[in-house]
């Protein structure tokens, strides 16, 4: 079967489509697929970076606990590792 014969068989199918209906088409699918792949890559990168985070806290020295408790507004503050 030639390409022209195949197209003549598809023309009646194209006439059945509603010409007032707007669809996203191939370009919409490509954009959606690109966004989905981008989000997947971002999530993969985020998981890799979150795996490198160290959540262990350093134990407080006995003298530091009294000094922190006496300071106003110091409750709940976190110390940074240096």
């Amino acid at each position: 079967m030639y390409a022209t014969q195949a197209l003549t068989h598809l023309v009646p199918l194209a006439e059945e489509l509603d010409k007032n209906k707007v669809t996203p088409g191939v370009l919409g699918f490509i954009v959606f697929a690109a966004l989905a792949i981008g989000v997947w890559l971002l999530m993969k990168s985020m998981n890799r970076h979150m795996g490198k985070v160290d959540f262990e806290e350093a134990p407080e020295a006995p003298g530091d606990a009294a000094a922190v408790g006496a300071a106003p507004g110091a409750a709940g503050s976190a110390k940074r590792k240096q």
Side-chain angles (χ1 to χ4, degrees), residues 1 8 18 23-24 30-31 35 45 48 54 61 64 68 70 72-74 77:
M1 183 182 292
T8 56
D18 186 11
T23 60
I30 291 170
V31 169
L35 287 172
S45 174
R48 193 173 336 131
D54 181 23
D64 290 342
V68 170
S77 63

Side-chain angles (χ1 to χ4, degrees), residues 27-45:
L27 180 62
F29 174 75
I30 291 170
V31 169
F32 182 77
L35 287 172
I37 290 170
V39 168
W40 180 73
L41 289 172
L42 283 172
M43 293 291 289
K44 188 174 178 182
S45 174

Side-chain angles (χ1 to χ4, degrees), residues 3-19:
T4 55
Q5 289 176 339
L7 289 176
T8 56
H9 292 295
L10 293 177
V11 170
L13 295 175
E15 290 176 357
E16 294 176 7
L17 295 176
D18 186 11
K19 297 190 188 264

